[in-house]
Every structure is written in C-alpha cells, then in structure tokens.
Amino acid sequence: MSMRCAVIGAGMAGILAVIKLREAGYDDLVVYEKADRVGGTWRENTYPGIACDVPSHAYSYSFELNPDWSHRFSPGPEIQAYFQGVADRHGVTERIRFGEELTSCAFRDGRWHLRTATGTTDVVDVVIAATGVLHHPNIPAFEGIETFEGAWFHSSRWDHSVPLDGRRVGVIGTGSTAVQITSALVERTAHFTLFQRTAQWVLPIDNPAFSDAEREDFRADPAGTRTLHDHLSRAFRDAFSHAVIDVNSPRLAEIEAECLRNLEQNVTDPDLRERLRPTYRAACKRLIASPDFYQKIQHPDAELVTAAIERIEPKGVRTADGVLHELDVLVSATGFRADRFVRPTTVTGRDGVDLDEVWRDGLLAYLSVAVPGFPNFFMLNGPNGPIGNFSLIDIAELQVGYILQLLEEIRAGRCREISPTWEATRNLEAERREAAVGTVWVTGCRSWYLDRDGIPASWTFTFDRFCDEMAAPKLEAYELIG
Ligand code: N01
C-alpha cells in the first residue's frame, strides 16, 4: 500500500525521520515546521555560550559524520549549521512547509486529518511527531517581574538587541544553560549575578579545539572518524546509563568523586565552596559538564546568590535576606516544561479520544514511541524514553529504525492500522515504574526528569534493553487492524 507520511517538526529528529523514510522508499511525505528554519532546539536556543555537552563526534548522525567539528564540544551555531547542511544535502529542506504550525491532527476513517494555524489541511496515513522534549519554556511567575525596568527574557528567547558588555546581568537558575551562560558572560559584564536555588554536581570536561591537521586527518580517514563516533557513543552510554538506574553502582560513586574533586580543587573560598556543594546524589538532576564554571563564578565581578528570590523590583531582584541586587538585564534560565510533548497540537485518536485525555493522569507511551488508540502515530524522543547525559541522536536513530519496521507491516499489506495494545502498554508502564525505585532520579532532588507525581519520566531500565527492544518490534504488543 502506498502511504503518505507527515513529520511534525524539523529539528534533529524530524530531519532524521525524513532521511530514513525516504531511504526506505516512502517518498510521499511532508514536514510541518512552525518556524522559518530547521534546527529545533539549536535554532531556538542562541544564548551566549551555547554548546552541546555531548562530544560533537558522538552528537552527529551515524550516517553523516562531520570531520569539521571545531571543538570536542562544539558551539551551538556550528551544530545548527550542521543540521541545516544535512537537511539541505539530503533533500529534506524541500519537503518542509515552514511557518506551518500544526494545530490539530485527527484520526478519522483510517487516516490522519491535519490542520495548521494558517488553515492548511492535509490527509496522511502516518504521522511522526518529532516535536522535541525541552521546547516549552518554564517561566516562573516571579512577583513584580512586570515592574522590572531593565531587559528580561527566558534563555531560549534570547534578545540579541540587548547590550550585555559592561552591564549588570543576572541569571536565574544553575542548570546546563545557566552554567554555559555564566562561562560566556562573566568576563563581559560589569557585574554578573547568578541566582542559585540548588547547587549542582559539576563534571569537569576539557574542550580543546581540533587543529587543522586533526580535521584534515578526520577528512582523510572516514573509517577512523566512524570508530571515534562509535567509541564515544559507547563510552557515554557506559559512563551514564548504568549509573543512573543503579544508585549503588560504582560508576555513580566515581562520578560523584570526580565532581567533588573538581569542587575541592577549584573553589578556594571555603564559604563559596560550601554554597556550591550539592546535597543530593549526582545525576539526580542532569549532570552539569563544564570546563570552567567554578573558575568563572570566582571571578571578581561574579557573585553567587543563594538567598531565595523574594520578588522582582524595578531596579533588580530582591532576595529573602532583604538585599536588592541591582540589574540591567535579567535572564530566566529556568528550564522547560518537559511534560508538554507534542503540544500545542490537538491530537485525536480512534473514536475521537484526545491525547490530552489519555495523558491526564501522566504521560504514557509504549516504548516511548506509540500510544494505544492512536494508530500509525509515532513519536521520536517521546515520553519516558532514555534521556539524560547522552546523545538524543542515538536514541532517535534507534526509534526511527523501529518505526520503519512497524510501517513495513502496513506496506506489506499485513494491516492498515497499527498501535500498541493497552495491555502491553500498561504492563510495560507498571514495570517501568517499579524499576524507577532503584534509580538515581528518585533519591531526593527536584528535576525535569520527574513528573508531577515524582515518577521519573524516563527509561528506568538498562540502555541495552532499550537497544534490544528497538531492534525488532514484538508484534504481539500491537493491535494490527485491516
Ligand atoms: O534547565 P534546568 P536548563 N526560582 O531545568 C532553576 C538540556 N541542555 O535550561 O535546580 C529559582 O536544568 C532551577 O532550580 P532548581 C539539558 O538536558 C543541554 O538549564 O530546580 N530558580 C534550575 O537551576 C538540560 O538538563 C545542554 O532548584 C528556579 C534551573 O532554573 C536541559 O536542557 C545545554 C526557579 C533550570 O534548570 C534543561 O537545562 C543546555 C524558580 N522559581 C541545556 N524555577 C547541552 O549542553 C527554576 N529554577 C546539551
């Protein structure tokens, strides 16, 4: 049977989906992208210091290795250019309908009926939602924020018209984003204030630039570059994937020791060192990887504020100790709503059931790719998948391979509709929740890994199990109709 496919979103996962669908012979396809460029998170996040804390030779598509990465951890604009280049070279860009935000997606009469914000409609057989995990900014309602006389914005909505050099800049948050901003800005500002609610575990990394000769070597030796990619991907998985699901693992203890050495050796002032010392298990929140955060926060023009934010006033931030921190620019590096998968698109499955309704009591997806009652609707990096300190590209590649095998059931004429059964989904979810008990995410910290009930919204099994599950679908877990 011939199938029309729609991909939602032209970020890392959407670009990947189109390339792999086309390779598999699905040529009737369209991408709906709300913005005017590809890139997803790398398009949206342009804050100073943005980089990926997964090594670039691992944070690359396995089929599009890039010999030209400038650094071990390359900066965001380079990553954005990489995705743009891949999309152009693989004929993805011409399939994208830019400026078309999908508002609704309804399954009727065996097909998906799509509508965008501009009124465009389409009817397709298969939908792949590649809408990202960390997309909707979390913007706390700080009292008095509307009275602030300086410039104020969220880190993912950076206002590049606002001057920073020689000004007083404050950043709220100490996640990966705030730490990267700190490293980039401390030396540019007249005074830099970091508002920390929770101290972080900070893993030291080196970020050397690749020399011209090294890049030439990568170009001349694609097999060597592949070996490097495979080695780094494996090393990252080995380093983190077991540590996060077993709080007693030696690897987690090693990570903690390495982070503590970093703190002890690099922060000289005992008072500051104690304020920067985390009081929960490493990797409970996403680990911070930084070559120089501790050095930068000790700069004479930098200040770490650990008193709670009480309110925002016209001149700056008032903390609970009564101090007014005067600022010209205030950045909310306060993270994202990790529970807003696929939103704001309304997705209605079989019998008019709304995806919001299915997810009312918590996000649920079979192996993070599909939902019962939503036939031929798949997600990349969907709910409860492997997230953490490794490459989401690896995960999306595994998921695309899995989805293509499901689509083969339709193409081969063995069914017209495929969706996971409730039984398989509920059983896996129960098992996933049970396994969560032994993970580091539930050892007593606040993080975007946890859902509103405090259950980690992530893969709580081994990464090897995820690879095994993705290798070949268990069709008994699916309902095949038609
Ligand atoms: O967001 P976060 P992020 N008052 O949620 C604080 C990826 N990423 O944008 O810890 C005061 O981690 C909050 O405080 P607390 C990566 O997966 C990757 O930094 O909850 N503070 C926290 O410190 C990462 O995990 C790269 O107490 C408030 C911060 O805001 C994810 O994106 C680079 C507050 C939010 O931290 C998100 O990172 C950057 C309030 N009301 C990001 N509300 C790479 O290098 C929140 N906070 C790949």
Side-chain angles (χ1 to χ4, degrees):
M1 146 183 183
S2 76
M3 278 186 271
R4 178 163 170 77
C5 303
V7 174
I8 318 176
M12 173 278 286
I15 294 168
L16 168 71
V18 176
I19 293 171
K20 292 294 165 185
L21 281 165
R22 291 189 67 201
E23 259 176 36
Y26 299 97
D27 213 40
D28 185 6
L29 58 87
V30 59
V31 184
Y32 289 100
E33 167 55 59
K34 67 176 180 181
D36 60 356
R37 282 177 307 139
V38 304
T41 198
W42 300 105
R43 177 196 64 229
E44 308 244 314
N45 285 274
T46 60
Y47 58 81
I50 183 168
C52 185
D53 61 10
V54 174
S56 300
H57 281 277
Y59 192 76
S60 306
Y61 296 120
S62 60
F63 53 90
E64 263 283 355
L65 301 182
N66 175 18
D68 294 320
W69 290 120
S70 68
H71 287 75
R72 185 176 294 164
F73 301 94
S74 298
E78 213 177 303
I79 300 169
Q80 166 66 12
Y82 166 78
F83 286 121
Q84 182 77 62
V86 173
D88 290 346
R89 276 195 299 285
H90 285 261
V92 178
T93 311
E94 64 214 44
R95 303 305 181 103
I96 303 172
R97 300 201 53 170
F98 290 106
E100 292 273 25
E101 180 170 21
L102 208 62
T103 50
S104 73
C105 188
F107 190 72
R108 281 196 308 273
D109 308 323
R111 301 191 81 197
W112 285 99
H113 297 251
L114 314 181
R115 177 177 287 277
T116 72
T118 64
T120 301
T121 57
D122 198 348
V123 183
V124 302
D125 301 287
V126 174
V127 176
I128 297 184
T131 44
V133 186
L134 299 168
H135 181 62
H136 297 276
N138 170 46
I139 304 179
F142 293 109
E143 185 194 326
I145 189 67
E146 69 290 348
T147 68
F148 183 55
E149 289 170 356
W152 173 82
F153 43 83
H154 186 267
S155 55
S156 67
R157 303 285 181 271
W158 199 274
D159 183 346
H160 291 277
S161 70
V162 173
L164 303 165
D165 294 299
R167 304 186 82 203
R168 298 164 303 175
V169 176
V171 172
I172 302 173
T174 50
S176 306
T177 302
V179 164
Q180 290 179 341
I181 295 172
T182 303
S183 292
L185 285 193
V186 159
E187 279 151 6
R188 288 177 54 186
T189 54
H191 191 75
F192 183 90
T193 311
L194 186 65
F195 295 93
Q196 169 184 287
R197 187 165 67 175
T198 310
Q200 292 278 5
W201 291 89
V202 182
L203 198 62
I205 52 170
D206 282 333
N207 191 17
F210 290 115
S211 66
D212 289 345
E214 283 171 310
R215 283 199 292 268
E216 188 49 49
D217 285 349
F218 289 134
R219 248 175 259 129
D221 180 16
T225 313
R226 169 153 309 285
T227 305
L228 178 63
H229 166 272
D230 296 351
H231 164 76
L232 287 170
S233 296
R234 189 76 243 171
F236 246 66
R237 285 183 203 179
D238 290 348
F240 297 111
S241 67
H242 193 65
V244 290
I245 60 162
D246 178 5
V247 285
N248 299 315
S249 71
R251 184 60 193 133
L252 186 59
E254 282 164 28
I255 291 171
E256 288 181 337
E258 202 177 342
C259 292
L260 286 178
R261 254 195 318 276
N262 187 24
L263 176 70
E264 305 291 350
Q265 289 175 358
N266 291 307
V267 182
T268 48
D269 172 23
D271 170 59
L272 181 64
R273 197 189 306 134
E274 289 322 301
R275 292 193 297 134
L276 287 167
R277 189 184 298 279
T279 53
Y280 52 92
R281 297 298 305 270
C284 183
K285 291 168 173 295
R286 191 178 192 275
L287 269 180
I288 306 296
S290 172
D292 56 8
F293 172 64
Y294 287 145
Q295 287 78 1
K296 298 288 179 167
I297 199 66
Q298 293 174 89
H299 188 278
D301 296 328
E303 181 183 2
L304 181 79
V305 172
T306 47
I309 295 172
E310 196 158 88
R311 63 178 176 276
I312 314 293
E313 298 185 0
K315 299 291 176 211
V317 174
R318 177 82 64 182
T319 44
D321 53 5
V323 177
L324 175 65
H325 304 270
E326 293 197 22
L327 299 168
D328 303 307
V329 182
L330 178 58
V331 179
S332 190
T334 43
F336 298 87
R337 297 277 311 274
D339 59 342
R340 302 285 298 153
F341 282 97
V342 194
R343 274 58 163 228
T345 310
T346 306
V347 183
T348 326
R350 202 178 270 145
D351 305 323
V353 174
D354 195 310
L355 190 55
D356 274 348
E357 189 59 26
V358 176
W359 284 349
R360 199 188 43 203
D361 298 327
L363 297 174
L364 191 68
Y366 182 66
L367 295 173
S368 112
V369 298
V371 182
F374 294 75
N376 309 352
F377 180 92
F378 305 103
M379 292 170 290
L380 295 175
N381 290 313
N384 308 334
I387 42 174
N389 287 78
F390 32 69
S391 164
L392 283 186
I393 299 184
D394 280 0
I395 293 150
E397 286 194 8
L398 289 163
Q399 291 172 329
V400 169
Y402 179 88
I403 292 165
L404 285 173
Q405 293 180 70
L406 294 176
L407 293 186
E408 198 49 41
E409 295 301 308
I410 305 175
R411 184 160 64 178
R414 289 189 281 274
C415 65
R416 296 182 74 86
E417 298 175 15
I418 189 161
S419 56
T421 64
W422 271 110
E423 189 191 3
T425 306
R426 286 201 180 106
N427 287 346
L428 180 71
E429 179 60 8
E431 204 192 333
R432 194 188 70 79
R433 285 173 173 243
E434 204 178 303
V437 175
T439 68
V440 72
W441 300 302
V442 295
T443 52
C445 73
R446 172 177 38 212
S447 84
W448 61 262
Y449 291 138
L450 299 177
D451 70 13
R452 59 173 185 245
D453 300 324
I455 309 285
S458 55
W459 185 252
T460 57
F461 311 112
T462 63
F463 198 81
D464 284 343
R465 173 163 174 190
F466 188 73
C467 295
D468 290 347
E469 295 278 6
M470 291 295 106
K474 293 176 183 130
L475 288 180
E476 63 275 19
Y478 284 87
E479 184 181 19
L480 281 67
I481 293 183

